[in-house]
């Protein structure tokens, strides 16, 4: 069942990017990147057992956000990347602050439909701190490495694949080693990072097809 949900989530992220880009053009990429980051933020609290591995589902919209960067860098100026990433950083910080504030709203004893989120975010509070910083650094590294690889050779597929192989491994290992410290043993958090990274390779392959499909116009200077 979780495998089916994973496939649906991959398709939905790509469909969202496609629709926003086709409707709003460049502005749609801004909206799509913020949406993917926020969805990834929420899903970073979710660990699922998929294909006999523990996987953090936040990797799916995160890789979709990388794909948005590839599309943006190919079609528009690289000078706008910093402002694009700053917008997503502000969105992630705002979301983290809202989740912290929501921890103080505990349902009354008589309530039957309210959700008590206090335990969830208190137990995983490190993710609220680590996520916005790690994502910003990983997206910035992804953008810079992708541009560098494109200057060396003009094969988009190779550039995207090598970018994720390098930056994706650093993101998953560093993110889960720090975010889950004192929550689970280091070796288990590293295994979680590696298994999530492996699934990310497959998702990256799917996203390469998607990016190449959209990148069929000349770069706009």
């Amino acid at each position: 069942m979780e495998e089916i949900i994973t496939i649906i989530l991959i398709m939905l992220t790509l469909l969202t990017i496609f629709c926003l880009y086709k409707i709003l053009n460049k502005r749609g990429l801004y909206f799509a990147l913020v949406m993917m980051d926020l969805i990834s933020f929420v899903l970073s609290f979710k660990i699922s057992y998929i294909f006999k591995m523990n996987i953090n589902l936040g990797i799916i919209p995160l890789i979709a956000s990388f794909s948005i960067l590839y599309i943006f860098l190919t079609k528009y100026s690289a000078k706008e990347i910093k402002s694009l990433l700053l917008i997503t950083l502000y969105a992630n910080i705002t979301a983290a602050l809202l989740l912290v504030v929501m921890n103080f709203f505990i349902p009354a004893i008589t309530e039957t439909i309210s959700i008590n989120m206090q335990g969830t975010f208190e137990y995983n509070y490190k993710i609220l701190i680590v996520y916005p910083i790690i994502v910003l650094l990983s997206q910035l590294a992804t953008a810079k490495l992708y541009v560098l690889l494109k200057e060396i050779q003009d094969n988009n597929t190779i550039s995207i694949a090598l970018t994720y192989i390098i930056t994706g491994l650093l993101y998953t290992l560093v993110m889960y080693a720090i975010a889950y410290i004192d929550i689970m043993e280091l070796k288990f958090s590293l295994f979680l990072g590696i298994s999530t990274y492996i699934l990310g390779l497959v998702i990256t392959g799917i996203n390469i097809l998607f990016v190449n499909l959209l990148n069929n116009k000349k770069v706009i200077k």
Side-chain angles (χ1 to χ4, degrees), residues 110-125:
T110 55
E111 292 183 1
T112 57
I113 60 173
S114 295
I115 300 175
N116 186 358
M117 300 192 303
Q118 186 174 21
T120 300
F121 297 117
E122 278 188 352
Y123 189 68
N124 298 285
Y125 71 93

Side-chain angles (χ1 to χ4, degrees), residues 16-35:
T16 299
I17 297 171
F18 179 82
C19 291
L20 285 174
Y21 176 67
K22 287 300 180 181
I23 296 172
L24 300 173
N25 210 336
K26 182 169 71 171
R27 188 171 57 173
L29 294 179
Y30 278 83
F31 288 131
L33 186 59
V34 171
M35 287 180 62

Side-chain angles (χ1 to χ4, degrees), residues 121-176:
F121 297 117
E122 278 188 352
Y123 189 68
N124 298 285
Y125 71 93
K126 294 183 185 69
I127 298 179
L128 295 176
I129 301 172
V130 171
Y131 180 86
I133 300 172
I134 297 295
V135 166
L136 174 65
L137 294 177
S138 64
Q139 289 179 339
L140 187 59
T142 295
K144 288 186 175 297
L145 181 58
Y146 176 74
V147 171
L148 177 63
L149 291 173
K150 285 284 288 183
E151 290 176 354
I152 297 174
Q153 48 78 46
D154 196 30
N155 189 307
N156 200 47
T157 299
I158 294 176
S159 297
I160 295 176
L162 288 177
T163 298
Y164 177 75
I165 288 173
I166 297 171
T167 60
L169 182 60
L170 293 175
Y171 164 80
T172 50
L173 292 181
V174 173
M175 169 69 181
Y176 300 120

Side-chain angles (χ1 to χ4, degrees), residues 29-61:
L29 294 179
Y30 278 83
F31 288 131
L33 186 59
V34 171
M35 287 180 62
M36 291 304 112
D37 273 6
L38 293 179
I39 294 172
S40 178
F41 199 173
V42 174
L43 290 180
S44 64
F45 293 91
K46 173 66 175 176
I47 299 175
S48 299
Y49 191 68
I50 305 170
F51 305 120
K52 298 182 179 181
M53 297 186 298
N54 289 318
I55 303 292
N56 189 299
L57 289 181
I59 194 67
I60 298 174

Side-chain angles (χ1 to χ4, degrees), residues 63 66-67 70 160-162 164-165 197 199-210:
I63 292 178
F66 293 159
S67 297
Y70 303 142
I160 295 176
L162 288 177
Y164 177 75
I165 288 173
Y197 171 73
L199 178 62
L201 288 172
V202 178
I203 301 172
T204 298
I206 298 172
N207 278 257
I208 286 174
L209 298 176
F210 174 73

